[in-house]
Structures are given as structure tokens and as C-alpha cells.
Amino acid sequence: MQYILSAFMLNRFFNRLFSILSSMSSIQKVKEDERGIRYVTGLRRYISVLLDLIIIVLFLNFYGQALNYLFINSESGKILNQVAAKYSIQVPLSIEEEMVKSKYVKLIILNQISQFIMLFCYVAYMWLKFAATPGKLLLGLRVLDANTLEKITLKQATKRFFAFILSVVPLFLGFIWAHFNKRCQTWHDKIAGTVVVTSRSLKYKD
């Protein structure tokens, strides 16, 4: 109950904040169509992405620590410290140290793969179920199908998830593009056929 109340209070705070500052282009860039649907980019959208990244990093860090705790005991930890020390002075490792090192490398690979799968499942589930990740929910935004303005499909979610990299890697050009698009679509929005709109404007949808 406490978490629900905190989320509600945060939602009210952000809604009030952006209702005051919504006219400032530095905060958000909004384009409205003939139906009253408001498409959003700018700082409001970027803050929602930042909030999501904070949540994701904290969760994945906790998951990684838990995985290490489950698979690496105190003795293995001591040996790993010895391995690190020997690497720094370029001393050959013992058979036991080689085994522990090999186990740790496999654990790292397993950790990375499992984190990636969990991240995709989490993001896709939020888009399919709530039409938004927590950051966008707090800031009153929704990710919808560009044609129907309904919740996106799993295929669209998959495309959007992987295409997000394309928007970020070349100096965030995919996000800058949204400022010049008539419906504020980023590159990953264009690839997946999605748009980001304000929740309040959806009441005008036919």
C-alpha cells in the first residue's frame, strides 16, 4: 500500500510540474493532430527514459549481486582475489585458481545473457500490458501503435527494443530526429511503427 501511495504521489508531482512548464520548448516539444492527440519529445520524454534507466540499472545490479552470492562462496572469493593479485604481477596460476577463474568467466557470461533476457521481458511486458514503462507512466506518457493508437504488439515491442540502440549509438541522432518529425517519432519509433503520446490527450481519440 505504501508503494502504491508513493507512486501516486510521484505521478501527481510530475503531472503538476509539467503542466506548469509544458509551454516551454526546453521542457517538451508537443505536436497535436486534428483529433487532439499530443505527440511528445524533448526533455519530458528524456527524463522518462532516464528514470527507466535508473530503475533498470538498480534492478540488474541487485540481480547480478544475488547471482554472485549464490554461485561464489567465500573460499572462491579469496581465490579470485589471489588470481587478481597474480595477474597484476604476471605470476602463473595454480590448477585450482584456473578452475575458479574459468567458473567466474562462465558466471559473467551467464549473468550478461540472463540480464539481457530479463531486460527484454520486463520492457516488452510493460509496453504490452501498460503501454508504458514506469518512467513514462510517472510522466503521463504512453507508447502506442502509430496507426491505431492502441497497445503495441509483441512484434512491435521486439522491433522497438532492439532498434532503440540505433537511436542512441550515433550521438542520439535518433532522438534528435523526433524534433523534426510531424508525430515526434524517433528512429526506433519509425522502425517499430509506434508513437509516444500524452495520456490526457487520449480521451479525444475516436
Side-chain angles (χ1 to χ4, degrees):
M1 183 65 182
Q2 183 178 358
Y3 294 111
I4 296 175
L5 181 60
S6 298
F8 177 73
M9 292 177 64
L10 279 172
N11 188 38
R12 288 192 62 183
F13 168 76
F14 281 112
N15 281 338
R16 188 168 299 177
L17 175 64
F18 284 104
S19 67
I20 295 172
L21 300 174
S22 60
S23 61
M24 298 174 59
S25 60
S26 60
I27 294 297
Q28 66 173 342
K29 185 176 181 64
V30 177
K31 296 183 180 180
E32 187 171 323
D33 66 13
E34 64 281 358
R35 295 172 296 176
I37 301 298
R38 308 186 77 191
Y39 305 94
V40 181
T41 188
L43 191 57
R44 181 177 182 180
R45 184 169 176 179
Y46 303 153
I47 290 176
S48 73
V49 174
L50 178 61
L51 290 174
D52 285 327
L53 287 176
I54 292 173
I55 293 171
I56 289 169
V57 168
L58 289 175
F59 174 75
L60 292 182
N61 182 63
F62 173 79
Y63 173 78
Q65 293 293 333
L67 197 64
N68 287 337
Y69 178 79
L70 288 175
F71 289 94
I72 298 181
N73 54 38
S74 58
E75 187 63 30
S76 296
K78 292 178 182 178
I79 295 175
L80 282 173
N81 290 333
Q82 295 173 7
V83 170
K86 286 188 175 182
Y87 261 111
S88 64
I89 58 177
Q90 297 183 342
V91 174
L93 303 179
S94 66
I95 296 176
E96 183 182 16
E97 288 168 343
E98 285 285 359
M99 290 177 62
V100 172
K101 185 193 77 170
S102 177
K103 175 184 176 182
Y104 187 64
V105 170
K106 291 177 182 178
L107 178 62
I108 292 175
I109 296 173
L110 173 64
N111 190 14
Q112 294 299 315
I113 294 174
S114 59
Q115 283 190 15
F116 184 80
I117 294 173
M118 290 182 65
L119 176 60
F120 170 73
C121 291
Y122 162 74
V123 172
Y125 174 78
M126 293 299 297
W127 284 338
L128 295 173
K129 182 70 175 179
F130 304 103
T133 44
K136 284 184 171 56
L137 286 173
L138 285 172
L139 296 183
L141 303 176
R142 294 294 184 273
V143 178
L144 301 174
D145 180 273
N147 296 319
T148 65
L149 292 180
E150 301 291 341
K151 290 180 181 178
I152 65 177
T153 64
L154 179 58
K155 182 178 180 180
Q156 286 176 298
T158 303
K159 285 183 178 180
R160 197 173 195 273
F161 179 83
F162 287 99
F164 182 84
I165 301 171
L166 297 177
S167 290
V168 173
V169 171
L171 302 175
F172 291 89
L173 289 179
F175 282 92
I176 297 174
W177 171 272
H179 289 268
F180 306 99
N181 183 268
K182 65 179 181 180
R183 292 201 289 177
C184 300
Q185 288 177 292
T186 59
W187 287 352
H188 54 286
D189 281 321
K190 292 290 288 185
I191 292 171
T194 59
V195 289
V196 175
V197 303
T198 63
S199 303
R200 291 182 177 179
S201 69
L202 291 175
K203 63 183 179 181
Y204 300 110
K205 183 169 69 73
D206 292 335

